[in-house]
Amino acid sequence: MRLAIENVRIIDPSQNLDKISNLYITRGRIFSISDTLPDGFNASQTLDGTGKWLLPGLIDLQARLAEPGSHYEGDIASETKAAVAGGITAICCPPDTRPVNDNQAVTELIQRRARQAATAFILPIGAITQNLEGKMLSNMAALKNAGCIALSQANQPIQNPLTLKNAMQYAASNDILLMLRCEDAALKNKGVAHSGVISSRLGLAEITASAETVALARDLILAEETGVRVHFSQISTAKSVEMIADAKKRGLPVTCDVAIHQLHLTEYDTLDFDSLFHVSPPLRRHEDKEALRLGVKMGTIDAIVSDHTPLDRDVKLLPFGESQPGISGLETLLPLTLKLVEEGVFDLNTAIRSLTTGPANILGIQNGSLTTGLFADFSVFEPEAYWTLSRSEMISQGDNSPFDGWEFNGQVELTYFQGRPVYRNNPI
Amino acid sequence: MRLSTPNLQLNAQGKLRHFLTLEGLKHHHLMEILEVANTFIDPVTHQISKVPNLHGKTIMNLFFEPSTRTLTTFEIAEKRLSADVVNLNIATSSTKKGETLLDTLWNLQAMMADVFVVRHSESGAAHFIAKHVAPHVHVINAGDGQHAHPTQAMLDMFTIHKHKGDIFDLKVAIIGDIQHSRVVRSQIQALSILEAREIRVIGPKTLMPSHPQALGIHVYDNIEEGLEDVDVIINVRLQNERMKSALLPSEKEFFNLYGLTKQRLNYAKPDAIVMHPGPINRGVEIDSAVADGEQSVILEQVTYGIAVRMAVMTIIIENAKQLMAGSLSSALQEETP
């Protein structure tokens, strides 16, 4: 099959490209981007992309696919459908599955289920320690060889500094990327909300910014000492941005990401105890949100992630502190990121880069690009489509989105994965 | 700033529908409670007699957290209002799953409950329940986590009002564990709505809210400075857990630094009153000589608690009746051309 998409605005930060042109695809791969029909290319299908955008398939560094796990919360098939509806074609899934992805068998199960679903590229992240307990190392090299793109502790950071240091040294000697959430369990204590003006008013158990930054400081020092490649996941405070900017300036091989909801929401959103706003790390101050936005703009923050956590209704239908943290975010990653472009927070190139080449460079993969020869993973985006998010219409099995009722400009119309259409909203 | 809480507890006429927190309520809401409470107390005998206000109404006291004092005063208040009372002590462990908690509520609601009086160990639990009950059911917060205990705070306001008159212009000092106290959070909100001149909190920073400016309070590390010239002193119970979690070294050291003694009382105005929501730890936060002294109004607080709770329930049921009558008459007006 030879596909031509003509007269479309192609945005590809990996090639510094933003122009109206044509995209040619053959045998599932990018043939070329060219203003004229390449010699010898006979399109079997031609689509008119006038007025639309063509984006590389997005990469999400953190999305839970609920498999293996409770099928009430979805599975790889249901969640990858949600992903491609949001233009995401490559997904890193953290190891906090049930059972934990701390051995090859689980990694292989995830890969097999991903191949069956065949709607998006799944990159499993293995557990650094057995059962994520932070004590005994898992077979890290075996996990890497089985196809884990990186290793992490999901939301259960290693608390013992010696164990962490050992894990870092071992990872460094096997050239394994570690993705770390920074959270000091003792400082977090039983906290459920940011320690700020709202928690003071509502009497919610508090999580200070230092619960993150103390752990980050420790991790940065140990990363420097061991020379391991570290990516910091879902940073949430202004101070963290500053510390990582400083580490990068000193030449440390560190990168970081932020969850998209942290760029839109603050502690004030928890004012009426709505458990849909219960996330980990917690929603912080307005100043933190501004610093995180600036961090993306200045390139200190390398990627924006969904931190997708589809949850069963039961675990959210509880008082705030008893509810499970997490947002079903795959379908809103791109719309919420583009909303920031509309608001003038950063430009379109930065936005798309944070969702494509940014994460690709962290992982050392080629996805998220429309370079000739790569798999044709892309989406066609209609910038003039106005729509309102409704929880009841979400594709993900988890409808736990606090963005219900938010209005968005622009929508993914069509997503291709490896040259095949995997999502279609309105046929173009 | 988003403020959906008041919307949740007020009806279409802006009157109390639930009683979840004092935050967001107006001066007149609080004054109405104090005034109605006063009508239940016989001016001569100071006794509270039985009235038929809630005859035929079913009140369920849902206590997800153990309590004797609050439950007892609620029960007495409900019986004096001639309501049918059902007490349910529900162990939190059996309601860990949301489905079960809501199922429990919906089941009780189906048993024709009119009012749920709720105590729960999670901040925001009363809000959660109010969001999910049927429109005809009213929720009264009898204490949720470290968030609010609005009836307790209102009885404290009633006590202050009885002794000092208008709360406007008073300087009030609250001593002890502010951060972990739902009673204090509600007291501070009540005092600021009633425009107290100054709200001071006294204690070490480990027991203070992380952001006192959000509550409009002045923090004093030193008790003598904090008590200087105040009209009202409120003592708060110190929980044992504070020592276990390393927030304080010992009860003894706390008493040495912050215990309310006769000598320290001298820094306050000569006619200052001393209050305590109970139960009292004698020799930890307050000296027996002060607790039982002339300036103490601690025991009165208990009696007033019944009147204030009667007032809150009466007002909520009356508001519902008025809303119903209002919508009936407007429906009738629409029909007659």
Side-chain angles (χ1 to χ4, degrees):
Chain A
M1 160 128 150
R2 293 167 308 281
L3 174 67
I5 301 174
E6 296 179 337
N7 206 25
V8 68
R9 180 178 171 189
I10 301 173
I11 301 161
D12 181 6
S14 76
Q15 307 179 62
N16 282 319
L17 196 70
D18 183 354
K19 66 167 186 177
I20 295 174
S21 187
N22 311 316
L23 177 76
Y24 300 100
I25 293 151
T26 181
R27 281 181 300 206
R29 291 178 184 269
I30 308 287
F31 184 76
S32 71
I33 294 168
S34 157
D35 294 345
T36 53
L37 189 70
D39 281 346
F41 190 94
N42 288 316
S44 56
Q45 190 189 2
T46 302
L47 301 174
D48 177 21
T50 306
K52 299 176 198 303
W53 299 354
L54 195 143
L55 308 173
L58 310 179
I59 304 168
D60 190 347
L61 288 180
Q62 169 116 322
R64 291 177 175 81
L65 304 176
E67 191 175 348
S70 146
H71 63 276
Y72 294 111
E73 293 175 347
D75 51 34
I76 286 173
S78 74
E79 299 316 293
T80 50
K81 265 185 205 155
V84 293
I88 300 161
T89 56
I91 303 161
C92 297
C93 54
D96 52 353
T97 44
R98 281 164 291 173
V100 166
N101 183 15
D102 62 0
N103 63 74
Q104 284 158 279
V106 178
T107 307
E108 281 159 15
L109 169 79
I110 294 169
Q111 289 167 329
R112 194 162 58 244
R113 300 287 287 130
R115 275 195 301 276
Q116 285 164 0
T119 40
F121 188 39
I122 308 297
L123 299 145
I125 300 170
I128 301 171
T129 61
Q130 292 176 30
N131 205 28
L132 293 173
E133 283 166 6
K135 291 176 187 148
M136 314 259 287
L137 299 185
S138 55
N139 291 321
M140 292 166 69
L143 284 167
K144 185 192 176 186
N145 292 336
C148 287
I149 188 78
L151 300 183
S152 95
Q153 282 288 111
N155 277 350
Q156 297 157 59
I158 296 172
Q159 298 302 322
N160 184 320
L162 180 60
T163 309
L164 178 65
K165 188 182 150 225
N166 292 342
M168 284 178 163
Q169 281 178 326
Y170 196 78
S173 49
N174 285 282
D175 193 28
I176 291 169
L177 170 69
L178 296 186
M179 298 175 90
L180 303 176
R181 255 290 304 279
C182 297
E183 192 170 75
D184 185 293
L187 283 173
K188 184 191 181 189
N189 200 7
K190 290 169 185 159
V192 294
H194 173 65
S195 170
V197 291
I198 301 304
S199 64
S200 281
R201 279 162 64 183
L202 298 186
L204 286 169
E206 303 188 327
I207 305 172
T208 55
S210 60
E212 177 167 305
T213 51
V214 166
L216 175 58
R218 177 196 73 167
D219 292 8
L220 279 169
I221 288 166
L222 293 176
E224 187 164 12
E225 191 174 299
T226 57
V228 72
R229 215 153 41 91
V230 174
H231 173 77
F232 293 107
S233 302
Q234 293 100 58
I235 62 166
S236 69
T237 76
K239 183 79 183 164
S240 304
V241 180
E242 191 187 308
M243 289 164 75
I244 289 168
D246 177 62
K248 283 183 165 187
K249 210 158 70 184
R250 290 191 289 115
L252 288 190
V254 295
T255 50
C256 69
D257 69 58
V258 63
I260 183 63
H261 52 259
Q262 294 284 1
L263 301 178
H264 282 279
L265 307 174
T266 67
E267 56 179 338
Y268 279 89
D269 290 295
T270 56
L271 202 51
D272 63 350
F273 298 106
D274 188 341
S275 62
L276 289 174
F277 293 90
H278 183 193
V279 288
S280 174
L283 298 174
R284 304 280 189 186
R285 300 170 306 161
H286 177 75
E287 295 89 323
D288 294 303
K289 182 181 87 175
E290 291 301 315
L292 291 165
R293 286 174 161 199
L294 194 65
V296 174
K297 183 183 168 145
M298 305 304 285
T300 304
I301 297 175
D302 306 85
I304 304 174
V305 307
S306 71
D307 196 14
H308 178 70
T309 309
L311 293 172
D312 188 38
R313 284 209 160 185
D314 277 4
V315 298
K316 278 291 188 189
L317 273 178
L318 285 167
F320 192 90
E322 286 183 353
S323 69
Q324 262 189 45
I327 287 175
S328 175
L330 282 169
E331 291 156 77
T332 44
L333 177 62
L334 177 63
L336 287 169
T337 304
L338 293 178
K339 215 177 201 4
L340 296 170
V341 176
E342 257 173 66
E343 290 175 20
V345 174
F346 40 67
D347 60 21
L348 183 59
N349 185 60
T350 305
I352 303 303
R353 185 158 32 85
S354 308
L355 301 171
T356 56
T357 47
N361 291 342
I362 293 164
L363 301 172
I365 57 173
Q366 291 186 309
N367 302 55
S369 164
L370 301 170
T371 304
T372 296
L374 295 182
F375 272 125
D377 297 347
F378 64 91
S379 64
V380 176
F381 185 82
E382 166 54 80
E384 299 293 325
Y386 298 94
W387 62 287
T388 304
L389 180 77
S390 162
R391 285 178 67 191
S392 59
E393 288 168 13
M394 286 177 71
I395 296 166
S396 165
Q397 193 82 7
D399 67 352
N400 47 304
S401 172
F403 300 104
D404 188 48
W406 281 45
E407 292 170 3
F408 297 101
N409 292 334
Q411 196 166 29
V412 170
E413 276 192 349
L414 193 60
T415 303
Y416 273 72
F417 172 62
Q418 301 187 346
R420 287 177 304 103
V422 286
Y423 172 76
R424 197 184 297 270
N425 184 11
N426 296 308
I428 57 170
Chain B
M1 189 188 295
R2 280 159 36 121
L3 267 181
S4 40
T5 300
N7 298 341
L8 183 63
Q9 59 181 350
L10 298 182
N11 68 21
Q13 295 173 337
K15 293 181 170 180
L16 280 179
R17 178 177 159 225
H18 304 298
F19 195 54
L20 310 174
T21 174
L22 297 171
E23 187 170 11
L25 295 185
K26 297 263 176 3
H27 193 270
H28 69 85
H29 292 122
L30 272 56
M31 289 312 291
E32 186 184 11
I33 294 169
L34 299 182
E35 282 157 18
V36 174
N38 205 30
T39 64
F40 293 123
I41 300 173
D42 187 295
V44 183
T45 64
H46 297 280
Q47 294 297 303
I48 298 171
S49 48
K50 192 159 177 164
V51 290
N53 301 20
L54 262 63
H55 181 74
K57 298 287 178 189
T58 301
I59 299 184
M60 293 190 179
N61 297 319
L62 307 182
F63 279 59
F64 295 90
E65 187 185 78
S67 153
T68 36
R69 293 153 43 96
T70 305
L71 177 59
T72 310
T73 46
F74 262 107
E75 195 177 343
I76 294 169
E78 290 152 4
K79 287 180 172 163
R80 294 276 158 93
L81 289 168
S82 312
D84 298 322
V85 181
V86 181
N87 288 331
L88 288 141
N89 278 304
I90 307 160
T92 318
S93 57
S94 69
T95 57
K96 270 286 174 226
K97 205 106 169 89
E99 211 175 39
T100 326
L101 172 58
L102 281 183
D103 274 350
T104 310
L105 287 174
W106 286 331
N107 266 301
L108 295 171
Q109 188 170 285
M111 297 172 195
M112 308 313 255
D114 297 288
V115 179
F116 286 153
V117 175
V118 182
R119 165 163 293 193
H120 198 285
S121 58
E122 272 302 321
S123 298
H127 283 71
F128 173 78
I129 290 167
K131 264 185 216 169
H132 291 96
V133 292
H136 72 274
V137 178
H138 307 281
V139 178
I140 293 174
N141 186 2
D144 63 327
Q146 298 173 359
H147 172 234
H149 194 348
T151 58
Q152 173 69 42
M154 285 312 295
L155 83 86
D156 295 329
M157 296 308 110
F158 189 85
T159 310
I160 298 174
H161 202 261
K162 275 274 172 206
H163 287 270
K164 295 279 162 193
D166 206 339
I167 285 165
F168 170 81
D169 218 32
L170 295 180
K171 286 186 191 170
V172 182
I174 308 173
I175 311 170
D177 189 356
I178 311 301
Q179 166 64 357
H180 305 92
S181 172
R182 55 189 171 213
V183 175
V184 174
R185 268 194 185 74
S186 286
Q187 285 168 339
I188 290 168
Q189 282 154 0
L191 288 166
S192 69
I193 293 165
L194 296 172
E195 298 171 339
R197 183 159 149 210
E198 196 183 338
I199 308 165
R200 300 177 184 179
V201 293
I202 303 170
K205 289 206 164 54
T206 47
L207 302 181
M208 291 295 126
S210 61
H211 293 70
Q213 73 278 16
L215 301 169
I217 49 180
H218 297 109
V219 179
Y220 287 80
D221 301 323
N222 179 292
I223 187 166
E224 282 85 8
E225 282 171 29
L227 289 179
E228 186 80 49
D229 210 26
V230 298
D231 302 279
V232 178
I233 302 166
I234 302 175
N235 239 272
V236 183
R237 180 182 166 78
L238 189 74
Q239 312 267 357
N240 274 332
E241 297 95 79
R242 307 300 166 240
M243 266 63 77
K244 286 184 203 141
S245 45
L247 293 168
L248 286 178
S250 67
E251 291 183 344
K252 188 165 178 277
E253 175 143 321
F254 182 80
F255 187 74
N256 287 341
L257 287 176
Y258 298 105
L260 188 59
T261 58
K262 275 271 179 204
Q263 194 201 357
R264 283 173 175 157
L265 192 54
N266 289 334
Y267 285 86
K269 283 198 183 143
D271 62 344
I273 55 168
V274 175
M275 300 168 63
H276 194 304
I280 301 175
N281 286 323
R282 288 166 189 269
V284 177
E285 66 255 355
I286 190 164
D287 195 31
S288 278
V290 179
D292 306 327
E294 277 175 12
Q295 286 165 269
S296 167
V297 297
I298 294 168
L299 283 176
E300 279 176 50
Q301 286 176 268
V302 184
T303 321
Y304 295 155
I306 296 165
V308 163
R309 286 172 178 125
M310 287 171 75
V312 169
M313 287 185 273
T314 301
I315 289 167
I316 282 176
I317 295 296
E318 275 306 312
N319 289 345
K321 278 187 201 160
Q322 277 178 25
L323 194 69
M324 188 80 89
S327 58
L328 261 178
S329 72
S330 66
L332 286 172
Q333 275 168 7
E334 275 169 31
E335 276 176 32
T336 42

